[in-house]
Amino acid sequence: MKDCISIGLLGLGTVGSGVVKIVEDHQDRLAHQIGCSVQVKKILVKDLEKERSISIQKDLLTTDAYEILDDAEVDVVVEVMGGIEDARKYILHALRNKKHVVTANKDLMALYGTELLRVANENKCDLFYEASVAGGIPIIRSLVDGLAADRVTKLMGIVNGTTNFILTKMSNEGKAYEDVLKEAQELGFAEADPTSDVEGLDAARKMTILAKLGFSMDVELEDVQVRGISSVSSEDIDFAKYFGYTMKLIGYAKRNDNRIEVSVGPTLIAHNHPLASVSNEFNAVYVYGEAVGETMFYGPGAGSLPTATAIVSDLVAVMKNMRLGVNGTSAVLPQYPKEIKEDHEIYFKSFFRFTVKDQLGSFAEITSIFTESDISFEKIIQVPLKHKGLAEIILVTHHASYSAYKKVLENLETSDVVDEVRSYYRIAGEDLDV
Ligand SMILES: NC(=O)C1=CN([C@@H]2O[C@H](COP(=O)(O)OP(=O)(O)OC[C@H]3O[C@@H](n4cnc5c(N)ncnc54)[C@H](OP(=O)(O)O)[C@@H]3O)[C@@H](O)[C@H]2O)C=CC1
Ligand SMILES: N[C@@H](CC=O)C(=O)O
Ligand code: NA
C-alpha cells in the first residue's frame, strides 16, 4: 500500500476549491480513515492567471489535462470542471489509464453514466458521483447501500438549490425572480448557464440518476417530463398559499408494479408536508420504500464545502477499496426492464388559474369542460375583475389522469368563455395510495 495517495483535480472553481480546502484541513481525519496521507498533485484550469478564492501554489496549476491524465503517480482523478464532451473524454482517458474517478457532473452522469460505469468496471476502477445529486446529502449512497434491501416505489425531491432559493425568496420576501436569480449566481449555486437550473434540466438530470438507482431500471434523461420555473408568477405563489400549498420545483418518480413515471416541474406541496419547509438552497429527497416506509434526506444541495464533502467522501471510499483491492466492483447493473407509464396511467391533483368572461353561463361552461373529462373540483374560488368584464377562477381538483388534464387544458384554451389560462400546476404529496 502506498504511503500517499495523489489526486489530480480537473477544475478549481466553486467545488474544486472546496475539495482542496477539505483535503488540506482534514489531513488527520483522512489519514485515520485510510491509513495514509492524501495530496492534490496537479489541478487543471482554463485560466492560469485568474484570481482564486483559495491560496494555491501556482506550479500546481496546468491547462493541459493530459499532464494529469497521463501522470503515472496520479491515483484518482476528481472531475469538477463541468460540461459534457471534454469531461467525458477526460474521464474515459483516466479510466483507461487505470485511474479511479470521482465526479460531481450530473449532466455527464445522466447522459453517459451507463457507458462510464461500464468502462470503469472493465478497467477495475471506481467511478463515484455522490456530489452529482443533492450536493452534500449522501443520497446516492443511501439508495445504493442503505436501502439496498428494499423496493423503492416513490422518490420526491427538491434537487435544485438555485430554483429552491428563487422560489423561497419570491414566496417569503416578495423578491423579484430576476433579482433572486442574480443572487443565486453570485453565491455560486447556479450552473455556468443558469437556464439549466430555471428550466428544470438540472433537476431532470438528477432525477434520471435517482430513478435509475431507486427503481433499478435504465432510466434515461428523455424519459423525464420537464418543466421549469421561469413562468411562475408571484400571483401563482400567493393563490397557492391561500389554498394551503407551497410552490416548489419537485422531481417526482413513482413506480406502480414495474411501470414508472418521472417528471420535474413547479409543483404545489401541502404546507404540512416535510418538503414544504425545505428553504433556500437546501435540498431534500423523500424516498418511500415498501419495507422501510417514508424516509427523507435533507441538507445543503449546492455550494463549495457541502458539495466538496461529498467528493471527499467518495475519495475515502475509493481509497478504502484500494486498501482492500476491490476497486471497480461496486456498480450494479439495472435489475428490471424499463416500462414508462402512459399519460392515462399517471394520476395527480391539479391547480388551475384562468380568466373567464364575467357573464351568465360562464361557470356552467367551465363545469361542463371539467365534467366531460371526469375531473371534479375539491376547492374553487371566483374573483371578479370588474374593470375588464372578466372574472378569475382558481381551483384545485381531485385526482385525475394526466390525459384528462391535457384534454381539459385544450378545451379551456379553445372555449369561447375563457379569456386566458394563466397557470396550471401539479399538486403532489397527498397521493401516497394512488
Ligand atoms: N456549484 C455547486 O454548488 C455544485 C456544482 N456541481 C457540479 O460540479 C461541477 C463544477 O461546478 P463549479 O465548481 O460550480 O463550476 P465552476 O464554473 O465554478 O468551476 C469550473 C472549473 O473548471 C475549470 N474548467 C472548466 N472547463 C474547463 C476546461 N475545458 N479546461 C480546463 N479547465 C476547465 C474552470 O477553470 P477556470 O477557473 O480557470 O475558469 C474552473 O476552475 C459541475 O459539473 C457542476 O454541475 C455539483 C453540485 C453542486
Ligand atoms: N446548480 C445546481 C448546483 C448543484 O447541483 C443547483 O442549484 O442545485
Ligand atoms: Na449527494
Side-chain angles (χ1 to χ4, degrees):
M1 181 70 191
K2 305 174 96 170
D3 53 12
C4 178
I5 303 273
S6 291
I7 297 166
L9 200 54
L10 308 182
L12 187 61
T14 306
V15 182
S17 306
V19 172
V20 172
K21 189 163 168 30
I22 291 182
V23 168
E24 276 173 4
D25 293 355
H26 294 194
Q27 275 296 325
D28 283 356
R29 180 152 179 73
L30 291 173
H32 178 73
Q33 302 238 3
I34 58 179
C36 69
S37 61
V38 182
Q39 66 156 350
V40 176
K41 182 151 190 261
K42 206 86 198 169
I43 306 172
L44 176 73
V45 293
K46 249 194 299 202
D47 178 358
L48 291 173
E49 302 311 319
K50 190 167 168 180
E51 206 175 311
R52 303 284 160 189
S53 61
I54 51 166
S55 77
I56 197 92
Q57 272 174 253
K58 281 266 181 218
D59 62 352
L60 284 185
L61 304 183
T62 178
T63 53
D64 177 5
Y66 296 93
E67 257 191 60
I68 295 172
L69 305 173
D70 291 331
D71 181 340
E73 287 179 9
V74 168
D75 303 289
V76 189
V77 168
V78 173
E79 186 276 303
V80 281
M81 55 184 263
I84 297 180
E85 286 315 322
D86 281 350
R88 173 172 173 248
K89 186 170 70 182
Y90 296 159
I91 290 180
L92 285 172
H93 195 99
L95 292 169
R96 290 184 176 128
N97 272 352
K98 314 286 180 209
K99 297 185 189 311
H100 310 293
V101 173
V102 174
T103 178
N105 196 328
K106 58 267 172 167
D107 311 23
L108 187 64
M109 289 310 291
L111 280 180
Y112 295 109
T114 305
E115 177 201 24
L116 296 172
L117 287 164
R118 179 180 48 76
V119 175
N121 184 271
E122 285 165 4
N123 287 281
K124 300 205 167 14
C125 286
D126 285 328
L127 168 58
F128 292 143
Y129 49 101
E130 181 60 76
S132 69
V133 183
I137 307 173
I139 183 63
I140 292 186
R141 205 154 273 125
S142 300
L143 287 174
V144 171
D145 296 328
L147 295 171
D150 206 354
R151 186 170 183 276
V152 171
T153 54
K154 183 161 149 184
L155 293 152
M156 267 170 73
I158 293 175
V159 288
N160 182 270
T162 303
T163 45
N164 203 45
F165 185 81
I166 295 173
L167 291 174
T168 305
K169 298 276 176 189
M170 281 173 77
S171 178
N172 296 356
E173 297 169 32
K175 287 193 173 172
Y177 172 87
E178 288 78 15
D179 296 344
V180 203
L181 171 58
K182 201 159 157 272
E183 220 180 304
Q185 286 176 291
E186 284 161 7
L187 288 165
F189 306 146
E191 296 300 301
D193 175 3
T195 319
S196 62
D197 292 299
V198 296
E199 293 308 339
L201 184 57
D202 179 77
R205 288 163 169 157
K206 292 165 175 166
M207 289 308 295
T208 305
I209 297 170
L210 291 184
K212 194 173 187 161
L213 294 171
F215 299 154
S216 197
M217 290 181 196
D218 192 13
V219 180
E220 292 168 288
L221 186 57
E222 64 205 32
D223 300 323
V224 186
Q225 301 200 16
V226 191
R227 187 177 156 200
I229 65 157
S230 57
S231 59
V232 172
S233 68
S234 49
E235 289 82 14
D236 293 337
I237 292 175
D238 290 345
F239 278 119
K241 260 190 210 166
Y242 176 83
F243 278 136
Y245 297 108
T246 306
M247 176 83 74
K248 295 285 177 193
L249 184 77
I250 296 287
Y252 188 92
K254 180 136 194 272
R255 154 154 67 187
N256 292 85
D257 298 322
N258 263 353
R259 295 185 63 75
I260 63 160
E261 60 180 277
V262 189
S263 63
V264 165
T267 303
L268 308 190
I269 298 285
H271 290 328
N272 61 1
H273 190 281
L275 285 173
S277 54
V278 176
S279 299
N280 296 320
E281 76 277 21
F282 278 80
N283 281 194
V285 183
Y286 168 101
V287 183
Y288 188 87
E290 280 178 349
V292 74
E294 295 181 87
T295 61
M296 196 160 106
F297 302 83
Y298 169 83
S304 181
L305 291 178
T307 310
T309 308
I311 298 268
V312 180
S313 302
D314 277 350
L315 280 170
V316 170
V318 169
M319 294 168 198
K320 284 182 175 168
N321 283 350
M322 284 168 81
R323 286 177 69 83
L324 296 168
V326 293
N327 298 100
T329 56
S330 53
V332 176
L333 289 175
Q335 184 180 1
Y336 305 105
K338 177 180 67 186
E339 291 179 32
I340 302 289
K341 288 184 194 172
E342 291 181 24
D343 290 348
H344 67 87
E345 298 170 276
I346 298 174
Y347 273 78
F348 51 91
K349 290 171 64 168
S350 283
F351 168 99
F352 284 81
R353 248 187 91 204
F354 47 88
T355 47
V356 295
K357 290 178 187 154
D358 197 359
Q359 64 188 29
L360 190 67
S362 281
F363 203 84
E365 163 76 2
I366 297 302
T367 308
S368 82
I369 288 177
F370 280 82
T371 309
E372 269 170 36
S373 292
D374 280 337
I375 300 179
S376 63
F377 304 142
E378 185 191 278
K379 297 170 193 156
I380 185 161
I381 56 170
Q382 178 170 332
V383 184
L385 308 172
K386 282 281 187 238
H387 55 293
K388 291 183 184 163
L390 296 172
E392 180 159 10
I393 293 181
I394 307 105
L395 62 88
V396 166
T397 70
H398 285 293
H399 282 88
S401 73
Y402 188 30
S403 44
Y405 288 125
K406 279 186 168 168
K407 192 164 154 225
V408 158
L409 278 166
E410 216 178 279
N411 290 343
L412 288 174
E413 295 283 1
T414 51
S415 163
D416 285 344
V417 304
V418 176
D419 171 62
E420 184 195 4
V421 178
R422 293 191 158 170
S423 52
Y424 159 70
Y425 299 108
R426 180 172 177 151
I427 297 173
E430 299 180 330
D431 58 344
L432 199 58
D433 301 316
V434 177

